[in-house]
Amino acid sequence: MAIAKPIILAVDDDPQVLAAIARDLRQEFSQEYRILRVNSGPEALETIKELHAKEEPLALILADQRMPQLEGVELLTASREFFPDAKRVLLTAYADTEAAVRAINSARLDHYLMKPWDPPEQLLYPTLHDLLAAWQVTNKPRFDGVRLIGFQWSPLSHELKDFLSGYMVGYQWLDYETNPEAQALVKARGFEPTDLPVIICADGKAVANPSKADLANSLGIANQPLQDMYDVVVVGAGPSGLAAAVYGASEGLRTLIIERQTPGGQAGTSSRIENYLGFPTGLSGAELAHRAWTQAVRLGAEFLAPQEVNDLCIQDGYKVLTLSDGREVKTKAVVLTTGVSYRTLDVPGMDRLSGAGVYYGAARTEARSCDEQDVYIVGGGNSAGQAAMYLATYARNVYIVIRGANLAASMSAYLIEQIRNTPNIVLMPFSQIKEVCGQDHLEAVMVDINGTVEKRPARALFVFIGAKPSTEWVCDQVLCDGKGYVLTGRDLVADPRYAQSWKKTREPYLLETCVPGIFSAGDSRAGAMARVASAVGEGSMAIKFVHQYLDE
């Protein structure tokens, strides 16, 4: 959406004078400004109110003094309520100069001009150029994108921020409690605080209490399949799913990828991945996911989000996926890349404060709210280390709470070294969180430090305590191990406990589940490595096996 030009508003009740003003203004300023003209004070005030409601930029008001119903000084004074920074110029005859001089103080007039101003090159344009240049210096252009208005400690506001960030949608966050602009926007659109959060799209459309599906529709993300039958459907858009979609689409397969949240999975929440091949300075998980998503779509893959698969069944050899909205998707082959979800921390207060100071995963969208505050991280893996390094650029102190003596057993050496060299990151060994405290948001944590419990103030708590596979919905169809990870390939025939699950005469392909034509890749597969590179490799390999299956 193109940014609107700032406006110059000319007001005079004499049609001939107004036409002359508009003509001269257009001649000099029309390339950079829009010229509006109004022939009465009351109409001009209504125009100003409309411009304010539409958030249009008003740079300068040029008003004649002697107008019936509403004089120029009165109009310019009233306009301050709506556009306090706009420049105000009064047009006067010689007899009105005394009133104009008084108005410089009473109406905070910026200038007055005598009529007539012929030639305008000497008597009009230099003054207006100076005023407009001064306005441009102080003017803060309206953010011309998606705006999210809500409460800082609202879990739904947090979810929507994460959703927008996950799709790398530029947006402006406005806290209703502390931002007058947010309050004015909500009031101008007829909403109440109980309607928050509110999304205002770039086209001006506003939606109160939007679901993620509403937001996806507003952003143009597809939420329903376009074809009756696919060659392969990829469930999950983490690194393995995105790799499968890229290779499936590039090799001519009718490919659909379904994601219940945002692209990237857990890797997508990482603030910086520094050990992925080909990126010597590292890159964020969101950036990697967005590149892969864009690549898959460019090559012809369809992307469905936010959409969840609730069931999978076999009909006449085809796989039928049932979506959360009841629709069905038919496909010849399926690649399960559902990934894992963070395990919850089972201590008092966690459920109540989740999304209001307590977060699972990196929650990069909340980092700025931690400015010069103390934050806590539970966990000692790479995800925790990457989050600690990112948060340390904002927080006063970052405390890493671990049960063991050090990070050596669970974190990469490069991250341990970075943490050691960051003065505001404090490692707390032999420690664990016992309780989180606060009314409507996190205020403090109870920490057991080697047997001694302390209550410590905290702005935020980020939890990284392992993961569990997101396979609950499919475990009744494909074989999983005792922890819920999907069994594939040789695991199905090498172990006598599972040998009867494979019915075909050929051996299962490397990533194939006990159901022919259903494959599993990435972190939810039994035996997979929890690394982005290996997930990408498995997603790519899965398409090779899909081809072999389809050629049978």
Side-chain angles (χ1 to χ4, degrees), residues 132-314:
L132 290 169
W135 178 82
Q136 290 281 11
V137 168
T138 59
N139 175 55
K140 183 179 179 181
R142 188 194 79 176
F143 179 78
D144 197 50
V146 175
R147 284 172 290 179
L148 173 59
I149 305 171
F151 297 104
Q152 175 61 43
W153 304 116
S154 161
L156 180 54
S157 293
H158 167 67
E159 286 182 21
L160 295 176
K161 284 190 280 186
D162 265 4
F163 186 86
L164 289 167
S165 297
Y167 285 95
M168 297 194 77
V169 175
Y171 73 95
Q172 183 182 50
W173 162 249
L174 301 174
D175 187 343
Y176 181 83
E177 291 182 301
T178 61
N179 193 311
E181 181 187 357
Q183 297 164 11
L185 286 170
V186 170
K187 182 179 180 181
R189 283 164 172 77
F191 294 125
E192 299 293 334
T194 53
D195 297 319
L196 298 178
V198 168
I199 287 281
I200 302 177
C201 300
D203 60 4
K205 179 184 176 183
V207 183
N209 274 306
S211 66
K212 286 185 283 190
D214 293 333
L215 190 51
N217 287 335
S218 299
L219 298 174
I221 301 171
N223 65 355
Q224 58 183 357
L226 300 179
Q227 300 185 47
D228 295 328
M229 175 67 69
Y230 293 88
D231 294 318
V232 60
V233 170
V234 182
V235 183
S240 56
L242 290 167
V246 166
Y247 279 90
S250 68
E251 294 173 15
L253 297 179
R254 288 171 297 176
T255 304
L256 173 68
I257 183 168
I258 303 173
E259 170 56 43
R260 64 179 180 176
Q261 295 179 351
T262 55
Q266 284 197 336
T269 67
S270 176
S271 57
R272 183 146 298 270
I273 301 170
E274 297 190 63
N275 57 356
Y276 187 62
L277 183 68
F279 293 90
T281 60
L283 78 168
S284 72
E287 183 182 0
L288 177 63
H290 189 73
R291 289 185 182 201
W293 170 40
T294 303
Q295 187 178 18
V297 172
R298 181 181 65 83
L299 291 170
E302 288 182 36
F303 193 87
L304 211 59
Q307 187 63 267
E308 189 167 3
V309 180
N310 286 346
D311 191 32
L312 169 61
C313 65
I314 312 299

Side-chain angles (χ1 to χ4, degrees), residues 18-85:
L18 184 60
I21 298 172
R23 179 199 63 217
D24 290 342
L25 291 175
R26 280 196 298 270
Q27 181 176 320
E28 183 70 9
F29 300 104
S30 60
Q31 288 191 354
E32 297 180 10
Y33 297 87
R34 286 179 291 163
I35 313 301
L36 299 184
R37 59 179 183 177
V38 179
N39 59 13
S40 76
E43 185 182 347
L45 189 56
E46 286 302 313
T47 300
I48 289 169
K49 291 178 181 179
E50 290 177 9
L51 294 175
H52 178 262
K54 294 178 180 178
E55 300 175 73
E56 300 276 11
L58 180 59
L60 183 143
I61 308 170
L62 196 66
D64 183 54
Q65 167 60 9
R66 290 199 176 186
M67 294 186 295
Q69 297 178 286
L70 194 65
E71 291 188 337
V73 170
E74 296 173 322
L75 171 64
L76 296 176
T77 301
S79 70
R80 290 194 57 80
E81 178 184 349
F82 304 97
F83 291 96
D85 298 324

Side-chain angles (χ1 to χ4, degrees), residues 439-516:
Q439 292 300 316
D440 60 344
H441 66 276
L442 179 70
E443 297 174 15
V445 293
M446 303 292 290
V447 190
D448 184 333
I449 308 171
N450 206 13
T452 302
V453 178
E454 296 181 6
K455 185 175 184 179
R456 306 176 66 144
R459 174 73 172 191
L461 173 70
F462 300 88
V463 181
F464 304 84
I465 57 170
K468 60 180 181 179
S470 303
T471 57
E472 302 90 347
W473 63 276
V474 77
C475 278
D476 62 343
Q477 187 64 249
V478 300
L479 196 62
C480 299
D481 66 12
K483 295 181 179 179
Y485 291 91
V486 180
L487 294 165
T488 59
R490 289 289 301 167
D491 289 343
L492 296 171
V493 294
D495 192 323
R497 293 175 298 171
Y498 309 131
Q500 298 302 314
S501 66
W502 182 253
K503 306 299 183 183
K504 292 184 76 73
T505 55
R506 66 166 175 82
E507 283 199 356
Y509 298 122
L510 184 61
L511 300 178
E512 197 167 21
T513 70
C514 65
V515 180

Side-chain angles (χ1 to χ4, degrees), residues 16 66 92 103 187 203 340 384 420 431 440 519 552:
Q16 291 184 335
R66 290 199 176 186
T92 69
K187 182 179 180 181
D203 60 4
V340 294
R420 185 182 295 121
S431 302
D440 60 344
F519 303 85
E552 290 179 356

